Amino acid sequence: MTGGTEQVKSGHAALAPPVLACGEVRTCLLPTREALDERAALRVLDLRADERVRASRRPNRLVISPDLLTGVDCGLPTSTGARVRGVGTVTTRAVLTEGRVLQSTASFSIPATGTDRRQAWGYYLARPGSLVTVGRLVGKPVAEGFLAGSRPGFLDVGSIAEGMLARITRHPVLDHDAPLNSTDTRLRWTSTHADAGEEPSSLFTLAEDGLRTLRLRLPHGTPLTAAAVLCEDLALHDWLLTTVADRLDGLRAGSGDVRGTVKVVRPLVDHLLHLWMPRARLDPVLHGTWNHLEETPGYSRQWSALTRRIRDQLALHAIQLPQEVPTPR
């Protein structure tokens, strides 16, 4: 079962090295007509009175909320049915890119050693973002069970991430008049270290219900929790590809419907095309992992093809476009 959100700073207790990190990223279009400027974005993501919102302007505008900790004491899903109890805190944060795309990430790591009995809450609050197992950890079944999805009575970090999105989108500064329709996406991920003599790897899958899963095996020495930033970056660009492709689906090449074409294409140009910037803030040690992900689905190639299609449509209709065509809503 999931406990309440704790806004408590960590102590200085030593951490055992994690052997597994897991998380889920929810990505959506911020429900407002215009992209938020930096001042408004800072207000929307100001989730804690004791910690400031972070903002970055280069190479693109990014605003990051303070971390929130949610206390949990529940069973961890496993692929074998083995009973594993995890106690500790899940870290959740929100990220707003260019005042337009909102993401919420809930994640945790599991240290190599657990405890033989349940400890007082102070023990776990001193280890933020860490779930300590009571008894023996079975790492691989937990990772596989986590990717397969939660069941009633077991940890569900997706609902924690969704709760943060719901909290943010209720902010009164938002007018809930989005400039285009889009579908929210979910990326569930795990990261472990590659075994000795094994090459680092990544496996990305797309389920029928729109859930994305990513299994990462990182080089030794790479912090497993660094995968959270990689997964936010991947989720953002996957969402951009999905949204633009869905909007263009059914748009007929050479159609004489100038207004219809502009109504579809103009919001993409105004609000989304400039957001494509993979690896902008990725730890250099993870660039190889991103490159591996690029090899099979070819995200950048797909994006280039979509943007060329948009520009070709605009060029095709540029001369025909009547002056009275209003900016589509």
Side-chain angles (χ1 to χ4, degrees):
M1 296 177 66
T2 300
T5 299
E6 300 284 348
Q7 298 186 8
V8 181
K9 288 186 179 292
S10 66
H12 301 285
L15 285 169
V19 294
L20 173 66
C22 306
E24 189 162 323
V25 187
R26 301 290 177 101
T27 306
C28 68
L29 186 72
L30 193 69
T32 191
R33 167 59 48 178
E34 301 296 336
L36 297 187
D37 59 26
E38 185 174 307
R39 179 177 297 181
L42 292 172
R43 287 177 56 199
V44 169
L45 267 59
D46 186 12
L47 304 180
R48 288 178 55 165
D50 62 338
E51 191 169 331
R52 297 180 60 183
V53 183
R54 292 177 288 157
S56 174
R57 298 174 182 173
R58 301 289 186 274
N60 58 1
R61 193 156 54 89
L62 196 74
V63 177
I64 303 173
S65 78
D67 289 346
L68 298 186
L69 300 179
T70 301
V72 299
D73 181 351
C74 57
L76 302 181
T78 64
S79 59
T80 60
R83 297 176 64 86
V84 178
R85 180 183 179 185
V87 187
T89 55
V90 174
T91 300
T92 315
R93 75 172 192 171
V95 176
L96 184 59
T97 302
E98 290 288 354
R100 176 46 72 196
V101 181
L102 177 64
Q103 295 180 282
S104 174
T105 299
S107 63
F108 62 91
S109 62
I110 299 180
T113 57
T115 60
D116 58 359
R117 60 185 177 84
R118 172 60 156 86
Q119 305 296 311
W121 267 113
Y123 176 88
Y124 303 105
L125 292 175
R127 296 159 170 79
S130 181
L131 295 190
V132 183
T133 57
V134 180
R136 186 171 65 92
L137 168 66
V138 283
K140 185 176 180 180
V142 169
E144 293 174 345
F146 179 82
L147 290 177
S150 181
R151 304 186 303 276
F154 289 84
L155 178 64
D156 182 3
V157 298
S159 67
I160 299 175
E162 188 64 30
M164 175 170 276
L165 282 187
R167 173 180 174 179
I168 292 170
T169 54
R170 288 195 299 265
H171 197 284
V173 79
L174 305 177
D175 59 25
H176 293 273
D177 183 25
L180 55 93
N181 295 325
S182 64
T183 301
D184 300 353
T185 59
R186 300 175 292 148
L187 173 64
R188 188 178 299 149
W189 58 270
T190 62
S191 69
T192 58
H193 286 128
D195 295 332
E198 182 183 43
E199 288 295 319
S201 63
S202 58
L203 178 62
F204 178 82
T205 61
L206 178 61
E208 291 183 359
D209 62 355
L211 170 70
R212 285 84 166 139
T213 64
L214 178 62
R215 188 192 310 266
L216 294 169
R217 298 181 68 82
L218 302 179
H220 276 276
T222 305
L224 294 181
T225 52
V229 177
L230 168 66
C231 293
E232 286 172 345
D233 196 37
L234 175 62
L236 170 65
H237 291 86
D238 175 75
W239 180 88
L240 287 170
L241 268 174
T242 301
T243 300
V244 173
D246 286 350
R247 293 291 292 171
L248 294 179
D249 187 31
L251 189 66
R252 292 182 299 163
S255 170
D257 183 6
V258 179
R259 285 181 174 83
T261 299
V262 173
K263 185 176 181 179
V264 170
V265 170
R266 179 68 180 273
L268 303 179
V269 175
D270 289 346
H271 299 281
L272 299 185
L273 291 196
H274 63 289
L275 301 184
W276 188 265
M277 200 175 294
R279 304 191 310 182
R281 292 177 176 81
L282 194 61
D283 188 325
V285 75
L286 293 174
H287 283 186
T289 303
W290 177 270
N291 292 340
H292 182 266
L293 288 167
E294 272 277 40
E295 289 175 3
T296 303
Y299 293 110
S300 293
R301 293 195 302 273
Q302 293 178 49
W303 184 256
S304 296
L306 290 174
T307 54
R308 283 196 302 269
R309 182 180 174 191
I310 290 170
R311 287 166 182 149
D312 289 347
Q313 286 286 339
L314 290 175
L316 183 65
H317 294 301
I319 299 176
Q320 307 173 49
L321 185 64
Q323 294 298 317
E324 70 274 16
V325 174
T327 300
R329 293 183 59 83

